[in-house]
Amino acid sequence: MRIIRKVNLTVVILFLTIFSLGVIYPLVYVVSAAFSPGNSIASLNIIPFADGFTTQHFTHLFTNTKYLTWFKNTLIIATSTSALTILVASLGAYVFSRFNFAVKKSMMMAMLILQIFPSFVGMIAIYVILLRIGGLDQLWGLVLVYLAGNIPYNTWMVKSYIDTISKSLDESARIDGANHLTIFWKIILPIAKPIIIFLGISSFTAPWMDFIFPKMVLRSADKQTLALGLFSFVTDKKNDFTTFAAGALLVAIPFIIFFIISQKTMVTSFGGAAVKE
Amino acid sequence: MGTRLKEDGSSKKQLLITSILFMGLGHLVYLKQSIKGAIFAAIEIIMLCMLPTIIVKINGLITLGSPHPELPVKLREHSIFMLIDGVMILAVVILFFALYYISIRSALSDYKDFCIEKKLKGNRASMSGLLGKAFPVFGLAPTVGLIVFFVIVPLVFAACAAFTNYSAPKHIPPNNTVDWVGFDNFAAMFGGDATWTTALGRVALWTLVWAILATFTCYFGGMIMAVVLLDNKLKIAPLFRGIFILPYAVPSVVSMLVWQNLLNGSFGTVNRTLMQFGIIDKAIPWLSDPWLAKFTVVMINLWAGFPYFMLLITGTMTAISADLFEAAKIDGAGRFQLFRKITLPLVLYQTMPLIIMSFTHNINNFGAIFFLTGGDPKVADSTITSAGGTDILVTWIYNLTINLSKYNYASVLAIMIFVILAPFAIFQFRRTKSYKEGEL
């Protein structure tokens, strides 16, 4: 800090500018590659946007590849995973938070330990189980895998949040004759909205770029997801970097816009999460 | 001995015996809850009908099938199906006994209510109990079902596979059967087989070094940026913050694949740029030299990971009360002292759980390695073990499963990851609020 005090503001700004150029360089290069003629990264000029401008890669994506199908599949998977995760995890969290039963402690402990495994450790077994229930090469098979993988950690997360909601609310509703399901649906869920939204977003975004499970579960050309499709552009066999860049750009832009908008909320919620601990 | 219960609680033993005798019998005979009792009884009847299957499957789990080279491949016994079926049946049996236990407890608790209220609840009242006392069972049913069949069964299967010889080329069903081999795989990995032992030592050490370096570079990189941006009262700080957040916003598969292309030794843009400017004469092997590749993955991970900690630390720093700084300033503290004695300890204390989480995440950080280097470059033992210079345990598991079909060794690694990470999980559990308050 002493050094920073000594150097003047312009040096700080210079440092920040150089640093941000380094940070942003690969991203700018992808944007430029998406609009540059040619295919391989080897043929691209080292200076971004120096090769001219073309939208042919986007046309190529929509006419010659199954980009739209990939997008549709991924959207279906992400939406269903998100909705089901919210439903199952929050219901489980409500039970864990509000009821006392014999095996509660061991179940919660088990879930905490289970969430440390990357789910592809059990890949072979999941493959065989899906094979047995006809879930291979089906979008719903993949949704089931994601859903099960999401539950242990997220149930914990929502449970901690519901723990902070006062139990007197439940009590008064019960006196008014509400059953557990009504209390959960009408009282707990609306109050737990912030964490539910967070859960919805995080389980919605994860499937977009997951690679291993789609690769294992989805086989036919009509069932591919975006990550698989994009990866196929830049394998060892071919280097179609510009098409990859165009496709990646179309996925990344909504993500980036969303992140920039929610930057402020995220700073507060991250900070809040840390302080609460 | 009639089917009427005494109100003084003396029929407890009678009810307990009936309930243990057959699931739901206590509900049917004594508590007059025909629907609930029938459901329980039906479950037991189904289980009894399945008994032959259960015995066959459990037997299959023990023997894993016997080789029948004389039969066509399709008709031979498939050891892996037998192993997974056996594990699933075991799970079903355990769930059944759990349900049995629940049914007995429900009968006893209904009897307790009867002793107090002096009248039986009958069907309707006990069914409304589905949303009452039995609510946890229904609320947790989807959770338990999914976790058991898609998380626990696969993990138990993986753990079992570590004790079999399930590996290419000799033991891949359906052509051949798989057998239990006890601790042979562990013996081979820990000293028995020199090549595998060296590879395991190398990969395990690098996994730890990687996780520590990745966490610390990102944490302190993020902290420097947070401090610089907050401390200098820059008008354009939000602009810089907006730029620095970008790597975090881009999906990591995309950014890692981009870096892989940019850093490619022969045609990558980074090398071509450096050569054009005359900074270097020949291409730098960013991703193909074992040591340089290790350095590169840590650096690229810093690029992708510092924004998270920058956001986090900015959040915690702005939450520190300004009074603290005022008081310290009055006592004559300089800016460096303020940072070292107030900001740093507070931020460290508050973000410690997230540092630990980030460490465990990095141990399992498949994407950062796989999409950037694919575990390459090849080193001396790579052709036999498939573990490259930058492979960490999880990516090695992937290689062993997908490329080499050495499922037995892959499972040994999975158990190792468990041994490394379980203490962290337990530590996290112990410091949760509900544990501390004695609720659990």
Side-chain angles (χ1 to χ4, degrees):
Chain A
M1 290 310 291
R2 198 174 293 146
I3 309 162
I4 289 175
R5 185 172 47 167
K6 280 179 189 163
V7 299
N8 59 38
L9 212 59
T10 41
V11 177
V12 173
I13 292 180
L14 197 68
F15 160 74
L16 286 172
T17 314
I18 292 170
F19 196 79
S20 40
L21 284 180
V23 166
I24 213 169
Y25 163 76
L27 303 173
V28 171
Y29 204 81
V30 179
V31 177
S32 109
F35 293 102
S36 302
N39 284 326
S40 163
I41 192 169
S43 64
L44 291 176
N45 197 310
I46 55 165
I47 302 158
F49 297 107
D51 286 315
F53 183 85
T54 171
T55 52
Q56 68 181 57
H57 304 303
F58 293 94
T59 332
H60 175 70
L61 269 183
F62 289 114
T63 50
N64 301 336
T65 71
K66 295 198 175 222
Y67 191 82
L68 280 177
T69 318
W70 302 337
F71 195 93
K72 194 190 76 194
N73 290 339
T74 318
L75 189 65
I76 294 172
I77 293 169
T79 319
S80 350
T81 308
S82 177
L84 289 171
T85 305
I86 290 177
L87 199 70
V88 177
S90 61
L91 188 60
Y94 170 66
V95 173
F96 277 124
S97 171
R98 290 298 196 259
F99 293 83
N100 271 316
F101 46 95
V103 285
K104 178 167 151 180
K105 187 177 176 174
S106 24
M107 278 176 85
M108 299 224 56
M109 188 76 182
M111 298 220 293
L112 198 72
I113 290 179
L114 289 174
Q115 55 100 11
I116 65 177
F117 286 98
S119 21
F120 69 87
V121 167
M123 203 155 52
I124 312 291
I126 292 176
Y127 183 87
V128 175
I129 293 169
L130 285 181
L131 179 78
R132 285 291 168 90
I133 60 172
L136 275 189
D137 203 21
Q138 301 287 343
L139 299 185
W140 61 261
L142 195 56
V143 171
L144 268 184
V145 176
Y146 284 146
L147 174 63
N150 279 345
I151 288 174
Y153 179 74
N154 291 313
T155 307
W156 258 97
M157 192 178 70
V158 181
K159 187 235 171 215
S160 317
Y161 194 94
I162 297 182
D163 280 347
T164 64
I165 300 173
S166 163
K167 282 187 176 122
S168 58
L169 284 173
D170 305 28
E171 296 300 330
S172 49
R174 194 158 302 128
I175 292 166
D176 290 345
N179 64 33
H180 294 300
L181 207 55
T182 331
I183 293 174
F184 167 67
W185 195 253
K186 295 258 171 73
I187 294 172
I188 302 291
L189 270 193
I191 299 178
K193 209 165 154 194
I195 198 80
I196 299 292
I197 290 174
F198 178 79
L199 174 61
I201 291 170
S202 62
S203 49
F204 181 82
T205 48
W208 284 90
M209 282 298 141
D210 185 53
F211 181 78
I212 306 177
F213 277 109
K215 178 116 182 114
M216 178 187 86
V217 175
L218 307 172
R219 291 293 155 103
S220 54
D222 286 330
K223 296 269 166 56
Q224 303 287 292
T225 64
L226 273 174
L228 293 177
L230 289 180
F231 192 72
S232 73
F233 290 135
V234 281
T235 52
D236 296 335
K237 289 181 201 96
K238 61 172 180 179
N239 189 299
D240 202 351
F241 189 73
T242 46
T243 316
F244 166 78
L249 196 61
L250 288 180
V251 196
I253 283 179
F255 274 77
I256 293 175
I257 292 174
F258 175 76
F259 263 82
I260 304 237
I261 293 172
S262 58
Q263 185 197 351
K264 190 146 189 113
T265 339
M266 283 201 309
V267 172
T268 12
S269 67
F270 277 150
V275 172
K276 208 181 290 162
E277 296 286 343
Chain B
M1 212 168 87
T3 56
R4 278 189 60 84
L5 290 166
K6 295 199 185 82
E7 292 169 6
D8 56 2
S10 60
S11 311
K12 188 176 170 188
K13 203 171 167 191
Q14 212 178 330
L15 181 66
L16 185 66
I17 292 170
T18 349
S19 296
I20 293 176
L21 216 55
F22 202 90
M23 200 169 163
L25 197 61
H27 291 90
L28 285 170
V29 177
Y30 293 106
L31 297 165
K32 316 286 180 224
Q33 297 173 356
S34 51
I35 298 179
K36 205 167 167 182
I39 294 173
F40 279 134
I43 293 172
E44 174 149 359
I45 289 166
I46 293 170
M47 279 304 278
L48 287 176
C49 294
M50 277 172 65
L51 201 60
T53 326
I54 294 174
I55 292 170
V56 169
K57 295 287 183 192
I58 299 281
N59 187 42
L61 178 65
I62 295 166
T63 63
L64 291 186
S66 38
H68 290 287
E70 76 283 0
L71 291 171
V73 170
K74 269 193 174 172
L75 296 176
R76 287 183 203 170
E77 289 183 323
H78 196 301
S79 305
I80 293 313
F81 286 2
M82 294 170 91
L83 179 51
I84 293 176
D85 288 355
V87 173
M88 283 209 280
I89 287 289
L90 269 185
V92 170
V93 170
I94 292 170
L95 283 180
F96 169 72
F97 279 111
L99 214 55
Y100 214 133
Y101 177 72
I102 290 170
S103 83
I104 295 169
R105 275 183 57 119
S106 126
L108 290 183
S109 101
D110 282 346
Y111 177 57
K112 215 186 226 167
D113 290 350
F114 165 73
C115 292
I116 298 163
E117 290 167 17
K118 311 288 179 208
K119 68 177 200 307
L120 284 169
K121 281 196 240 165
N123 267 326
R124 262 190 72 200
S126 79
M127 291 311 277
S128 79
L130 284 188
L131 293 173
K133 273 195 183 134
F135 185 78
V137 178
F138 291 85
L140 286 182
T143 309
V144 171
L146 279 164
I147 289 186
V148 165
F149 288 103
F150 283 92
V151 182
I152 295 181
V153 167
L155 287 177
V156 170
F157 167 80
C160 289
F163 298 94
T164 68
N165 56 7
Y166 183 22
S167 61
K170 286 194 187 133
H171 296 281
I172 296 293
N175 285 328
N176 311 96
T177 54
V178 170
D179 306 295
W180 296 106
V181 294
F183 284 91
D184 284 8
N185 301 316
F186 292 89
M189 289 289 248
F190 294 96
D193 188 320
T195 326
W196 286 92
T197 310
T198 353
L200 177 66
R202 181 170 57 80
V203 175
L205 185 66
W206 165 237
T207 307
L208 284 179
V209 172
W210 146 261
I212 293 169
L213 283 180
T215 310
F216 274 78
T217 49
C218 290
Y219 187 80
F220 287 105
M223 181 182 267
I224 291 170
M225 281 305 147
V227 170
V228 169
L229 286 177
L230 275 180
D231 211 48
N232 285 289
K233 311 250 175 341
L234 286 176
K235 282 247 166 57
I236 45 168
L239 174 73
F240 283 121
R241 215 172 278 141
I243 292 173
F244 292 156
I245 199 184
L246 284 176
Y248 184 51
V250 180
S252 77
V253 181
V254 170
S255 51
M256 290 303 149
L257 286 174
V258 169
W259 274 113
Q260 186 202 46
N261 278 278
L262 292 180
L263 291 172
N264 186 297
S266 49
F267 56 76
T269 321
V270 173
N271 274 342
R272 285 198 288 134
T273 312
L274 291 177
M275 275 149 102
Q276 211 136 7
F277 283 113
I279 300 172
I280 53 169
D281 296 330
K282 56 179 203 284
I284 298 177
W286 295 110
L287 299 174
S288 42
D289 174 80
W291 288 104
L292 190 57
K294 286 187 169 72
F295 173 77
T296 312
V297 284
V298 172
M299 283 300 123
I300 300 304
N301 185 68
L302 172 63
W303 176 87
F306 88 91
Y308 170 74
F309 279 115
M310 184 189 76
L311 286 178
L312 184 72
I313 293 170
T314 311
T316 10
M317 277 174 67
T318 40
I320 298 175
S321 155
D323 300 351
L324 275 176
F325 290 111
E326 287 304 318
K329 268 184 202 155
I330 291 168
D331 290 344
R335 274 169 85 186
F336 182 68
Q337 273 180 311
L338 285 183
F339 176 76
R340 221 181 63 99
K341 301 270 173 169
I342 298 178
T343 318
L344 190 64
L346 277 176
V347 168
L348 266 180
Y349 174 75
Q350 289 183 337
T351 50
M352 192 50 89
L354 294 151
I355 298 178
I356 292 168
M357 267 178 72
S358 164
F359 174 79
T360 56
H361 167 77
N362 278 320
I363 294 236
N364 281 335
N365 201 338
F366 180 82
I369 303 287
F370 184 76
F371 294 108
L372 189 58
T373 66
D376 288 341
K378 301 263 180 289
V379 291
D381 54 44
S382 293
T383 34
I384 301 173
T385 61
S386 81
T390 55
D391 260 323
I392 56 174
L393 287 169
V394 274
T395 55
W396 194 19
I397 293 182
Y398 181 83
N399 292 345
L400 285 173
T401 323
I402 300 293
N403 303 332
L404 284 192
S405 301
K406 293 239 180 254
Y407 305 102
N408 52 350
Y409 287 174
S411 303
V412 173
L413 296 184
I415 291 179
M416 268 194 70
I417 293 186
F418 173 76
V419 173
I420 297 175
L421 289 184
F424 290 99
I426 292 166
F427 172 77
Q428 257 177 317
F429 178 69
R430 282 177 171 276
R431 41 171 306 290
T432 51
K433 206 166 145 238
S434 33
Y435 180 86
K436 279 183 189 158
E437 287 170 3
E439 259 182 53
L440 284 171

